[in-house]
């Protein structure tokens, strides 16, 4: 909670899940709940065979290894994988990401990608992600005395205040029926950061999908949420963020007060931070029946 450091009440790295976070009082100054942001999770790769020649929907793979060169099975049906389709830089594009739809002794079929995969060693990669994260019936709170703009400020440095919950990677998030109070702009001005983020450029499978944010109350916040389709600070970009539902929430952004200065846009659909813009943005974002109380713009679209 001190100046110059990030702190979380709950932080998840590379456990597969499921996770249940229910009926707690949770408090931290930076992100209260964070999954991701710690770098590479356990990953796997296979050799893509030269024959039969790969196509945009088929490839044959063999010699699949983990990071310690131990043998692993070929990717199962439903696995999200990333095929390398270009010998240039960057090594992978978000449009190289796809889902396995069939596997017959290593002969794979998958959802169509923009170009045929390259043949060779480690030309398809995938890895572990946290799955089935349920966050419900919690009271999430940041002390006003941590806020330099509040009269009760304890004068312990200038702590970085970010989000109540940050989605960097993981599949099937259910964030529902929580109450979240007090967050201000001292690093990030949104209550939620929903993105697909390859933190260190070594985890192109570190993506996010199926994020449901419903029936929550957020009070005294500087901004509501930011959605980033694909983000990497260095190296390959992960697959695009997919299937986000934000429905039946109350967002209260006072705006212009002494303790919670206006953060600008109430919510923001951001661009591609450090990632190329080819291939489109987040896949299927629905924002339905939310109550937005704020003194600024209700929505802003920006590119990164």
């Amino acid at each position: 909670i001190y100046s110059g450091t990030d702190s979380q009440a709950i932080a998840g790295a590379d456990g597969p899940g499921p996770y249940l976070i229910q009926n707690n009082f949770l408090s931290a100054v930076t992100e209260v709940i964070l999954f991701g942001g710690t770098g590479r999770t356990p990953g796997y790769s296979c050799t893509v065979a030269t024959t039969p020649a790969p196509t945009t929907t088929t490839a044959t793979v063999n010699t699949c290894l983990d990071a310690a060169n131990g043998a692993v099975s070929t990717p199962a049906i439903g696995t999200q994988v990333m095929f390398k389709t270009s010998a240039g830089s960057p090594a992978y594009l978000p449009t190289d990401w796809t889902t396995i739809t069939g596997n017959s002794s290593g002969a794979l079929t998958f959802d169509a990608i923009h170009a045929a995969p390259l043949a060779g060693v480690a030309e398809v990669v995938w890895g572990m992600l946290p799955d089935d994260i349920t966050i419900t019936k919690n009271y999430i709170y940041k002390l006003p005395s941590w806020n330099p703009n509040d009269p009760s400020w304890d004068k312990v440095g200038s702590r970085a205040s970010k989000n109540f919950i940050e989605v960097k990677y993981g599949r099937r998030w259910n964030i529902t029926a929580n109450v979240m109070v007090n967050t201000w702009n001292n690093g990030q001005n949104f209550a939620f950061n929903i993105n697909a983020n390859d933190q260190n450029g070594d985890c192109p499978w570190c993506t996010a999908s199926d994020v449901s944010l419903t029936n929550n109350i957020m009070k005294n916040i500087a901004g509501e949420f930011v959605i980033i389709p694909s983000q990497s600070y260095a190296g390959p970009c992960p697959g695009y963020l997919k299937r986000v539902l934000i429905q039946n929430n109350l967002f209260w952004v006072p705006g212009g007060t002494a303790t919670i200065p206006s953060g600008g846009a109430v919510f923001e659909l951001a661009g591609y931070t450090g990632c190329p813009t080819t291939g489109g943005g987040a896949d299927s974002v629905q924002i339905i029946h939310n109550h937005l109380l704020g003194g600024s713009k209700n929505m802003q679209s920006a590119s990164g």
Side-chain angles (χ1 to χ4, degrees), residues 149-167:
N149 297 297
D150 195 278
S152 68
W153 181 41
D154 61 13
K155 297 182 174 56
V156 180
S158 179
R159 302 177 179 95
S161 176
K162 297 183 181 178
N163 323 109
F164 290 125
I165 299 175
E166 181 162 356
V167 175

Side-chain angles (χ1 to χ4, degrees), residues 1-2 44 46 71 84 87 102 104 167 175 197 211 295:
I1 64 173
Y2 296 100
Y44 318 101
C46 296
K84 189 174 179 181
S104 177
V167 175
I175 306 167
N197 190 311
V211 181

Side-chain angles (χ1 to χ4, degrees), residues 10 17 19-20 26 29 50-51 56 58 105 155 169 189 193 252 259 272 276 289 304:
I10 295 175
Y19 295 87
L20 174 62
L26 299 172
V29 69
T50 304
T51 56
T56 57
T58 64
S105 300
K155 297 182 174 56
Y169 53 68
N189 62 298
N193 186 342
W252 180 23
T259 57
Y272 304 76
H289 197 254

Side-chain angles (χ1 to χ4, degrees), residues 21 28 45 49 86 108 118 133 160 174 271 300:
I21 303 170
S45 65
S86 172
L108 306 179
L118 298 178
I133 303 162
N174 180 22
Q300 174 174 308

Side-chain angles (χ1 to χ4, degrees), residues 88-151:
S89 180
Y92 296 94
L93 296 173
T95 46
D96 294 336
W97 194 263
T98 187
T99 301
I100 301 300
T101 58
N103 183 340
S104 177
S105 300
L108 306 179
T109 59
F110 42 86
D111 294 336
I113 56 178
H114 69 104
L118 298 178
V121 176
E123 300 290 23
V124 57
V125 297
W126 74 99
M128 182 185 295
L129 289 175
D131 292 337
D132 302 299
I133 303 162
T134 298
I135 303 170
T136 185
K137 299 179 181 177
N138 300 285
Y139 192 88
I140 296 174
Y141 183 76
K142 297 188 180 188
L143 287 173
S145 61
W146 296 339
N147 182 355
N149 297 297
D150 195 278

